[in-house]
Amino acid sequence: KVGCRNFFAMSRQGPKLKRSRSQLDVERYRRGYPGQKDDLNLTENKDFYFNEVPCKPDGNFIDKIHNEWFGKYKMLEYHHGYIQWLFPIREKGMNWLSQPLQLHEARAICADAKAHERVIKSYELMLDFYGMKLVDRETGALARTARFKKRYANLSDSAHNWLRVTRILKCLGEMNLEHYKKPFLLHIAKEMFEGYLRACLRSLSMYWLPVLKNKQDREEVKEYIKRIASEEKKNNQKKRARPVSDDDSEEFEDEFSDGKEKESKTVEEKFNAVDLETNPSGVLELAQSCEHVEENIQQLDAKEVKNMEMKCQRCGYDKEYNLWVDMASHQVFCGRDASGCMIEETQQTGHCIAMCLGDLSFWCYKCDKFLDHLKIKSVYSAYAVWHLHKFDEPVPTSFQGGPMVEDRDPPLGDQHHAGHPQTEESSWEENGNI
């Protein structure tokens, strides 16, 4: 499960008024790409969904893909020539052998029962790859698969799959399957509050939610998130063995605010302050460098991690989703949505970097930010050990920040999707143009 504070930490940055390239792309999508002409000479997407041509490069006919690739997760992970064909959109992607979807192609696919059935099978293929399954074809309702834990772990760590999801959602809207989008987003949000897929938070708020064409659907998803966040907060307050007083919280904020204005809004007010329609930039940014890691992260090996006692050392709280590891002492404490023992420990020891056992996210109390584990070497090294312990498999994504560098800004052109830097190139890719 996810505590309210962590889920709505996206509002920390405050509103940014500059309209991003990604926001403009979303608006064009929702408005039906005004001014974009339909080229009747382009038919490859229709031909592919009519099972007349294979996808390129190194692909296959769509019926064979559905029959032979289902459950072949390595193939689906590392093959990069099929996704633009399975889910064509009206924008040019990174596969130069694919073509943008034309309106006449979408109409032809939707009008043909077999072709449209293939679109749904493509969706089911990727849902299984992500650890989900379609349980109701009429409503689009989803559920977990038997292998959901490992598949969720892969989705959380594979940035290019977040880009694929954006493309999939856009394609559903072009194929008369707009009603499938909201159940997908509700499922993702629910799983975040169960302690899974929290690495997808930024994509959910900034790229996936905005592609819902119906404003009421977007509002309903946001209301659902606020409602379950509020319920989670109430449940956590009831379970608190030793609540932290307001004075303690203010003292903590004073110590680490570095002169910043203290936050006094509730999580619901913070979420309302972030307008996801006009301000997709006002969400969580992962810090790609941190001056505190060298003194506050001590590495452990797998055996030491295995022998740790996974409950709060002070109050005995044992719910994994709200337990944090002091990365300097390797002691475990509960978060601020339980009894706040991690805050007290930080105040007393000065240790400022902690890792959440629920989703393996890293937080620096002095920087007041989550840390990008792919960009900071010591964070990545610690993350790799804990990932192996939690999921029984190595991290699927390699370190992106350079050799043995602890705190430096990432080089130009070496950007990670989880941080969603607002460059023109990354914004273009985030909207599904992969």
Side-chain angles (χ1 to χ4, degrees), residues 129-285:
F129 175 60
Y130 296 140
M132 311 168 203
K133 59 183 177 182
L134 187 63
V135 295
D136 190 329
R137 283 193 164 202
E138 293 297 320
T139 66
L142 303 182
R144 298 170 174 174
T145 64
R147 301 179 179 178
F148 81 94
K149 286 189 177 180
K150 287 191 175 182
R151 302 318 310 155
Y152 281 7
N154 183 74
L155 178 56
S156 295
D157 282 314
S158 301
H160 68 274
N161 278 307
W162 304 345
L163 307 179
R164 288 173 170 180
V165 169
T166 308
R167 170 176 280 271
I168 291 169
L169 293 173
K170 284 186 173 182
C171 180
L172 292 177
E174 303 288 2
M175 299 295 183
N176 287 347
L177 295 171
E178 178 71 22
H179 62 289
Y180 276 12
K181 292 182 185 179
K182 186 171 73 171
F184 177 87
L185 299 182
L186 292 175
H187 180 81
I188 294 291
K190 179 178 180 295
E191 294 296 57
M192 286 181 178
F193 279 85
E194 293 294 329
Y196 302 100
L197 301 177
R198 276 184 57 197
C200 303
L201 170 60
R202 188 177 180 88
S203 290
L204 171 63
S205 62
M206 187 172 180
Y207 298 102
W208 302 345
L209 177 58
V211 299
L212 286 174
K213 292 183 177 180
N214 186 289
K215 184 176 181 179
Q216 181 177 346
D217 286 344
R218 296 194 295 273
E219 292 301 323
E220 288 178 3
V221 173
K222 288 191 283 186
E223 286 301 318
Y224 172 79
I225 293 173
K226 287 189 287 185
R227 185 177 73 252
I228 58 177
S230 179
E231 292 172 357
E232 181 68 12
K233 182 179 181 181
K234 291 178 182 178
N235 290 336
N236 284 331
Q237 288 174 339
K238 291 179 181 179
K239 295 176 182 178
R240 287 180 180 175
R242 182 167 46 82
V244 181
S245 70
D246 292 337
D247 291 340
D248 289 338
S249 298
E250 290 181 5
E251 180 182 351
F252 168 78
E253 296 290 350
D254 287 339
E255 182 172 348
F256 294 103
S257 65
D258 294 326
K260 297 177 182 177
E261 181 179 353
K262 292 186 295 184
E263 298 178 359
S264 59
K265 295 182 179 180
T266 65
V267 290
E268 289 80 10
E269 290 171 332
K270 291 178 183 179
F271 185 65
N272 289 333
V274 180
D275 187 347
L276 299 180
E277 300 297 326
T278 61
N279 176 33
S281 304
V283 294
L284 177 67
E285 293 182 3

Side-chain angles (χ1 to χ4, degrees), residues 363-383:
W363 176 264
C364 177
Y365 285 96
K366 291 185 178 179
C367 292
D368 203 29
K369 288 183 178 180
F370 285 101
L371 305 180
D372 190 338
H373 65 276
L374 294 184
K375 293 294 186 180
I376 306 171
K377 182 65 178 179
S378 58
V379 176
Y380 181 85
S381 298
Y383 176 83

